[in-house]
Amino acid sequence: AEEIYLAVSGEANVKASVRLAEMMGSEIYAYLTVYGQKMIARIPSRFNITADQEITLALDPEKIHVFDKDTEKVICH
């Protein structure tokens, strides 16, 4: 993420391991592992994200969607 946003986001920053980075035009779908949990993040394509890379993300709590892994129903967003 952009350094200025990382600097002000504090506790919303997480370290992530990129398992797969899929270019989708103006954004990248990054398939990540964060604290042992699988996540998918949409990242602007101007960032050079590649598989097997360690990155720091600043999570925006207003844009997080959480799903139940068994039912695939939305828990919160």
Side-chain angles (χ1 to χ4, degrees), residues 17-64:
S17 176
V18 180
R19 295 180 291 116
L20 175 68
E22 186 175 19
M23 179 61 78
M24 301 297 287
S26 64
E27 57 191 11
I28 299 168
Y29 284 14
Y31 297 82
L32 313 166
T33 302
V34 178
Y35 298 118
Q37 300 298 311
K38 293 178 182 177
M39 297 177 70
I40 301 171
R42 292 184 347 208
I43 300 172
S45 62
R46 69 179 177 271
F47 297 103
N48 188 22
I49 305 295
T50 59
D52 300 322
Q53 183 179 7
E54 297 293 322
I55 62 173
T56 301
L57 295 173
L59 301 179
D60 183 347
E62 297 291 321
K63 296 183 179 180
I64 292 175

